[in-house]
Amino acid sequence: MVRQQALIEHQQALSECRLCPKMIPPVILGPPVVAKILLVGQAPGIREGELARPFAWTAGKTLFKWLQTIGMDEVSVRQQVYISAVCRCFPGKKPKGGDRVPDKTEIAHCAQWLNREIELLQPVLIIPVGKLAIQQFLSLSKLVEVIGQQFRQDINGVATVIIPLPHPSGASTWHQMAPGKTLLKQALSLIQQQPAWQKLVSDIA
Ligand code: SF4
């Protein structure tokens, strides 16, 4: 109850954050779920603002389709998993199309919010989605170095398992071709084997 209240207060402060001048509000947040599983996206796209939730558009459809194959549909994931991100505001478009990648300062600004969520939730499983999110936890140059594997890290004194996923964006074909397709399946299978994930799946059965 105390953590729930702290999480609500955290989100209230976060929703008012305007630290990054180039970022376009609103701040996109999921529900304040006191969860042991933390999913970390990159940054919202242009549609998330009007729909007021993370992973609300095409990338989200693909992500939730992946997660459904291991036992949880979109509604259940949103209700049971805390959805966070590297940056919470829409970064805007690049001049030649596609979303602008948040810069180092913006990532550092928003990391304080992510760190506070980790401190409050003490997650046993973290699922970073996409290279930018994965880089906040693991060092890598290519996705093949980490997708399909799990990594143990002590975060705030909690033994945490990190299982990265590729970004489900339609603009990326990585997860649709070899070896990405196979590595994605391995990563989903690893998530499915996690006790925290199995507990959620059994709770909704
Ligand atoms: S991206 Fe994060 S730190 Fe920057 S203004 Fe939005 S909420 Fe604040």
Side-chain angles (χ1 to χ4, degrees):
M1 205 58 195
V2 174
R3 269 199 302 165
Q4 175 79 77
Q5 188 54 36
L7 203 53
I8 290 168
E9 285 168 14
H10 161 81
Q11 287 203 338
Q12 179 62 41
L14 171 49
S15 68
E16 291 163 12
C17 177
R18 299 291 182 270
L19 261 178
C20 310
K22 284 188 288 176
M23 285 290 190
I24 301 165
V27 174
I28 304 299
L29 299 169
V33 191
V34 178
K36 281 290 164 197
I37 303 179
L38 179 69
L39 189 141
V40 184
Q42 304 197 128
I46 196 165
R47 298 289 189 146
E48 271 76 12
E50 68 200 60
L51 296 164
R53 58 182 192 277
F55 286 108
W57 203 242
T58 47
K61 281 195 179 69
T62 301
L63 175 68
F64 292 118
K65 203 166 71 184
W66 292 349
L67 297 176
Q68 183 141 27
T69 66
I70 55 169
M72 268 207 277
D73 63 14
E74 176 174 347
V75 172
S76 303
V77 172
R78 289 191 187 278
Q79 286 173 349
Q80 314 253 16
V81 172
Y82 191 94
I83 302 181
S84 180
V86 176
C87 287
R88 317 304 173 94
C89 301
F90 175 49
K93 291 284 181 193
K94 291 188 285 195
K96 290 188 177 172
D99 292 354
R100 182 177 69 83
V101 178
D103 64 33
K104 280 187 182 152
T105 306
E106 291 164 339
I107 292 171
H109 281 163
C110 223
Q112 63 172 314
W113 300 111
L114 175 58
N115 289 337
R116 176 67 177 145
E117 284 156 358
I118 291 173
E119 187 188 329
L120 283 170
L121 296 171
Q122 305 203 330
V124 294
L125 173 60
I126 297 180
I127 306 170
V129 180
K131 198 169 176 184
L132 189 69
I134 299 166
Q135 284 170 330
Q136 309 313 306
F137 301 95
L138 305 167
S139 68
L140 74 153
S141 55
K142 291 183 177 174
L143 286 176
V144 288
E145 295 162 18
V146 296
I147 305 291
Q149 298 179 59
Q150 59 185 4
F151 302 85
R152 295 184 189 280
Q153 276 189 20
D154 186 286
I155 299 182
N156 293 337
V158 177
T160 307
V161 175
I162 297 169
I163 303 179
L165 290 177
H167 199 276
S169 156
S172 164
T173 54
W174 189 89
H175 55 83
Q176 299 169 34
M177 297 160 52
K181 204 170 170 179
T182 305
L183 294 174
L184 168 62
K185 270 192 189 158
Q186 283 176 19
L188 291 169
S189 171
L190 287 171
I191 293 171
Q192 190 175 25
Q193 291 166 43
Q194 289 302 307
W197 186 268
Q198 289 178 351
K199 179 169 185 322
L200 293 188
V201 171
S202 73
D203 285 351
I204 59 171

